[in-house]
């Protein structure tokens, strides 16, 4: 593989020389700024072998750098050839980010020529690069990588899959209702045109879903909205008749994907044009097509604003999906406990076995259409690799180690899920994400003091998030410090964000809401976000505990908000130092585990039910 990549890198550099380029930027994203992209668009993975969902590649004639955040520090080192690529571990002291790295190159060579694909980089990121690097000569080359891949005979043709319609009952709002809400926000800003490139935004607005990207139920398309017109411009040559009828009924015009660019330029050129150019959620090619209008709106686009606050049907669906996914996780934990009664039994189980069994439990529910991302199953030291998405069949379990399991499902159904408090069948949809860390062989071994201390501290951080109330208008950056506080007091921390938004039968990672150091979007009732503190030590392992939550008003005072759990899986008693828990923390844990029983036990078989009962009893006594 290394020799193949070396030859590929040399062919890449030869193409750069032919184009008179000194450097070229290869981001992860596709033309829709997707985190997870179709195989045909995975250029950075093609060139490096690194398959993480984030990271930028910078190539010059004599060096190549792969820049990754803390989630991928270990994974990148393990996956790339160090003789070909230098891994730049972003977030560490004195480590330059992409602008700083390019600046160093520009100081060595004035007039540095840097190539990039304007469809694969956000307008905000490119404008920041351009502002910081005024001496660099930028070359927009959207066809450079596709043509190179084609010339080498390694092109992966993209075949768009048919999209399908969500009913109004499932989505909670019709397309005309959503368009009216979008246009009301456009009118408030006097915006005349709204271009959309992100697939989840387009899917949400038009109540359509697809299967063009693994684990993300989206269809490849662009969209344009004006005060009196709307266009859905699809990659698929022919839309299904049901989709065409659905769009016609909402007065939405259709056309081919490439018609987006001339149509956008035409709308932007009209007298009095004031396009809505959300630089964070559109690619640089949109800015180039529009030009530099004197009037434009630059804030978060209306679809992103509206999509972040789930409507009642979406919230019901997210809660229902959370219950379904929790049943799968509990079945997996009960299976692990049953299988791991002895060292010999544990040694017969691999990381891959756990992931396969978990997938079976998820997909056994008729509403589960897919996993929401490749499950992370990291045993021992592999748990320190934050997005360890390739569970190994060679790595076998052994007693006394930590096993980190991060998983989620995509759910769509016309019947009621495991919902004891909703006897009437209701259609629903939702996306889930949850993480639990357990001690292997807990039936016959004990956790070490370090395992218990670190796990309990992470658990206290999670509880801090759910016990915290906060005033309306609070940003996720403020909550981030609250949740990290128990870890900081113990001189522990983690490099990733504390939480991310989650779509409704859409992408498992969704903005603009989140809980991290740069989260400046105010949390509102109806938003769904993860809370996932952790701790990781290279060579030792990792701990992460993650629940999805719904932002809700406090019952006694709507001016104050809090997080309400919407998934239900027990924590590991073997890893808890009960003496380190406060009275309120104990009571929260007791109430949470009682809710686990109420929400999931009717859907469990006798063996899983019996196992869960022992877990619930422990926490009831603890409280």
């Amino acid at each position: 593989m290394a020799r193949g990549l070396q030859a590929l890198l040399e062919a890449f550099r030869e193409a750069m020389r032919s184009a008179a380029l000194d450097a070229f930027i290869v981001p992860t994203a596709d033309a829709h700024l997707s985190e997870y992209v179709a195989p045909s668009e995975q250029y950075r993975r093609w060139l490096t072998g690194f398959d993480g969902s984030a990271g930028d590649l910078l190539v010059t004639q004599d060096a190549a750098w792969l820049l990754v955040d803390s989630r991928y520090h270990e994974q990148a080192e393990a996956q790339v050839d160090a003789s070909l690529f230098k891994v730049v571990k972003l977030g560490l002291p004195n480590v330059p980010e992409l602008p700083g790295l390019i600046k160093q190159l520009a100081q060595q060579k004035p007039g540095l020529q840097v190539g990039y694909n304007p469809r694969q980089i956000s307008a905000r990121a490119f404008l920041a690069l351009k502002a910081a690097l005024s001496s660099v000569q930028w070359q927009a080359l959207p066809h450079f990588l596709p043509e190179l891949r084609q010339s080498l005979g390694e092109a992966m043709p993209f075949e768009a899959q048919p999209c399908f319609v969500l009913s109004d009952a499932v989505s909670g709002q019709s397309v005309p209702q959503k368009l009216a809400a979008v246009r009301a926000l456009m009118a408030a800003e006097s915006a005349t045109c709204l271009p959309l490139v992100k697939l989840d935004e387009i899917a949400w607005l038009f109540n359509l879903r697809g299967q063009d990207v693994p684990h993300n139920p989206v269809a490849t398309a662009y969209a344009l909205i004006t005060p009196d017109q709307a266009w859905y411009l699809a990659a698929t040559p022919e839309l299904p008749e049901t989709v065409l009828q659905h769009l016609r009924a909402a007065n939405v015009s259709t056309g081919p994907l490439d018609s987006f660019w001339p149509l956008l330029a035409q709308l932007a050129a009209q007298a009095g044009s004031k396009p809505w150019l959300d630089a964070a959620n559109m690619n640089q090619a949109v800015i180039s097509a529009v030009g530099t209008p004197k009037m434009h709106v630059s804030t978060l686009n209306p679809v992103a604003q509206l999509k972040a606050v789930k409507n009642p049907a979406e919230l019901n669906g997210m809660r229902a999906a959370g219950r379904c996914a929790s049943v799968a996780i509990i079945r997996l934990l009960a299976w692990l406990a049953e299988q791991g009664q002895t060292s010999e039994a544990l040694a017969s189980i691999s990381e891959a076995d756990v992931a396969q069994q978990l997938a079976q439990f998820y997909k056994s529910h008729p509403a589960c259409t897919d996993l929401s991302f490749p499950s992370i199953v990291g045993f021992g030291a592999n748990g320190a690799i934050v997005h360890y998405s390739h569970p190994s069949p060679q790595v076998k379990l052994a007693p006394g180690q930590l096993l980190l399991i991060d998983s989620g499902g995509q759910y769509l159904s016309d019947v009621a899920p495991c919902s004891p408090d909703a006897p009437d069948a209701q259609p629903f949809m939702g996306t889930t994400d949850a993480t639990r860390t357990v001690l292997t062989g807990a039936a016959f071994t004990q956790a070490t003091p370090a395992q218990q201390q670190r796990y309990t501290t992470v658990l206290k951080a999670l509880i801090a998030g759910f016990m915290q109330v906060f005033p309306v208008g609070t940003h996720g950056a403020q909550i981030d410090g609250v949740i990290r506080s128990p870890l900081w007091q113990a001189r522990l921390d983690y490099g990733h964000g504390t939480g991310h938004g989650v779509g409704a039968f859409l992408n498992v990672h969704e903005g603009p809401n989140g809980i991290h150091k740069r989260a400046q979007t105010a949390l509102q009732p109806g938003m769904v976000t993860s809370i996932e503190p952790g701790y990781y030590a290279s060579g030792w392992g990792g701990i992460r505990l993650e629940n999805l939550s719904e932002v809700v008003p406090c019952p006694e005072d709507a001016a104050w908000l809090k997080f309400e759990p919407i998934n239900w899986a027990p924590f590991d008693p073997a890893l808890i130092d009960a003496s380190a828990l406060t009275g309120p923390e104990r009571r929260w844990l007791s109430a949470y585990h009682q809710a686990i029983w109420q929400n999931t036990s009717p859907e469990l078989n006798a063996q899983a039910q019996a196992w869960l009962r022992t877990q619930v009893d422990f926490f009831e006594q603890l409280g």
Side-chain angles (χ1 to χ4, degrees), residues 455-500:
Y455 180 96
T456 304
T457 305
V458 173
L459 178 58
K460 288 168 71 72
L462 180 76
I463 296 171
F466 282 106
M467 291 180 61
Q468 184 65 53
V469 298
F470 47 94
V472 170
T474 298
H475 296 172
Q478 296 168 284
I479 300 296
D480 184 72
V482 171
I483 295 173
R484 290 178 190 265
S485 179
L487 286 150
W488 287 348
Q489 293 299 324
R491 306 298 190 269
L492 304 176
D493 201 7
Y494 49 95
H496 57 76
T498 297
H500 55 83

Side-chain angles (χ1 to χ4, degrees), residues 200-371:
D200 61 329
E201 293 178 354
I202 297 166
W204 179 88
L205 179 60
F206 295 107
N207 287 345
L208 295 173
R209 297 295 189 270
Q211 45 189 346
D212 285 345
V213 180
H215 307 297
N216 295 265
V218 293
T220 305
Y222 292 123
L224 285 162
I225 314 299
T226 72
D228 54 8
Q229 291 179 286
W231 289 267
Y232 179 84
L233 307 168
T236 182
E238 294 184 10
L239 290 170
E241 185 59 31
T242 53
V243 173
L244 288 171
Q245 292 177 3
H246 167 75
L247 294 173
R248 289 180 193 131
N251 293 317
V252 176
S253 301
T254 58
L257 192 72
D258 287 344
S259 64
F260 172 78
W261 303 104
L263 183 56
L264 172 61
Q266 177 185 337
L267 292 172
Q270 292 177 354
S273 172
K274 186 181 181 183
W276 197 313
L277 303 177
D278 175 2
N281 291 296
M282 65 177 52
N283 58 44
Q284 176 59 24
V286 171
I287 303 297
S288 299
V290 169
T292 53
K294 295 181 180 179
M295 299 186 301
H296 68 277
V297 183
S298 59
T299 53
L300 183 69
N301 77 65
V303 176
Q305 295 179 43
L306 295 166
K307 179 167 61 66
V309 180
K310 309 296 187 279
N311 63 48
E314 290 173 326
L315 288 173
N316 286 334
M318 294 294 282
R319 298 174 194 134
R323 289 190 291 268
C324 297
S326 298
V327 168
I329 295 168
I330 291 169
R331 291 178 67 188
L332 186 279
L333 296 177
W335 175 83
L336 276 172
E338 181 182 26
Q339 299 296 314
Q341 294 295 314
T342 66
S343 296
E344 293 75 17
L346 273 176
S348 69
I349 302 170
S350 69
E351 291 176 336
D353 293 331
V354 176
Q356 182 179 19
Q357 187 65 61
L358 180 57
Q360 290 177 7
F361 286 143
Y362 270 106
K363 294 177 181 179
S364 66
H365 194 286
C368 184
T369 65
D370 197 359
L371 301 179

Side-chain angles (χ1 to χ4, degrees), residues 550-564:
E550 175 187 343
V551 180
V552 300
C554 293
E556 65 278 7
D557 187 349
W560 290 79
L561 306 174
K562 64 177 183 175
F563 297 109
E564 191 71 32

Side-chain angles (χ1 to χ4, degrees), residues 426-441:
Q426 297 291 332
F428 78 100
M429 65 176 182
T431 302
T432 74
D433 186 6
T435 310
R436 290 294 183 264
T437 305
V438 298
L439 180 72
T440 52

Side-chain angles (χ1 to χ4, degrees), residues 340-620:
Q341 294 295 314
T342 66
S343 296
E344 293 75 17
L346 273 176
S348 69
I349 302 170
S350 69
E351 291 176 336
D353 293 331
V354 176
Q356 182 179 19
Q357 187 65 61
L358 180 57
Q360 290 177 7
F361 286 143
Y362 270 106
K363 294 177 181 179
S364 66
H365 194 286
C368 184
T369 65
D370 197 359
L371 301 179
S372 57
F373 57 94
S375 295
I376 296 167
V377 179
F379 174 69
N382 288 339
I385 303 173
V386 179
H387 276 194
Y388 178 74
S389 57
H390 295 287
S392 170
Q394 279 74 48
V395 177
K396 303 291 186 177
L397 305 190
Q401 297 291 313
L402 298 175
L403 178 65
L404 189 154
I405 305 167
D406 187 347
S407 64
Q410 297 283 9
Y411 292 87
L412 177 63
S413 179
D414 291 325
V415 297
C418 41
S419 178
D421 57 348
D424 296 329
Q426 297 291 332
F428 78 100
M429 65 176 182
T431 302
T432 74
D433 186 6
T435 310
R436 290 294 183 264
T437 305
V438 298
L439 180 72
T440 52
F444 58 91
T445 191
Q446 291 184 335
T448 67
Q451 289 171 335
Q452 280 198 336
Q453 185 264 336
R454 293 167 181 175
Y455 180 96
T456 304
T457 305
V458 173
L459 178 58
K460 288 168 71 72
L462 180 76
I463 296 171
F466 282 106
M467 291 180 61
Q468 184 65 53
V469 298
F470 47 94
V472 170
T474 298
H475 296 172
Q478 296 168 284
I479 300 296
D480 184 72
V482 171
I483 295 173
R484 290 178 190 265
S485 179
L487 286 150
W488 287 348
Q489 293 299 324
R491 306 298 190 269
L492 304 176
D493 201 7
Y494 49 95
H496 57 76
T498 297
H500 55 83
V502 181
F505 192 53
L506 277 172
N507 297 353
V508 73
H509 293 158
E510 174 181 275
N513 56 302
I515 305 173
H516 51 82
K517 296 172 184 177
R518 296 181 298 277
Q520 296 301 316
T521 297
L523 296 164
Q524 301 177 52
M527 287 181 169
V528 172
T529 183
S530 69
I531 299 178
E532 48 182 306
Y535 171 78
Y536 313 90
S538 180
W540 180 82
I543 299 164
R544 185 163 64 252
L545 300 173
E546 176 186 15
N547 267 37
L548 291 192
S549 68
E550 175 187 343
V551 180
V552 300
C554 293
E556 65 278 7
D557 187 349
W560 290 79
L561 306 174
K562 64 177 183 175
F563 297 109
E564 191 71 32
I566 57 171
N567 55 345
W568 312 98
F571 303 105
D572 191 348
L575 287 167
I576 293 176
D577 176 7
S579 67
L581 298 173
T582 66
E585 289 169 341
R586 290 166 177 253
R587 289 190 288 275
W588 186 90
L589 282 167
S590 178
Y592 177 73
H593 283 79
Q594 290 172 21
I596 292 175
W597 181 261
Q598 294 166 2
N599 279 284
T600 65
S601 60
E603 299 300 316
L604 298 172
N605 62 24
Q607 180 267 331
Q609 223 178 53
W611 175 85
L612 179 61
R613 187 68 255 175
T614 64
Q615 311 301 298
V616 174
D617 288 346
F618 171 87
F619 287 100
E620 285 183 349

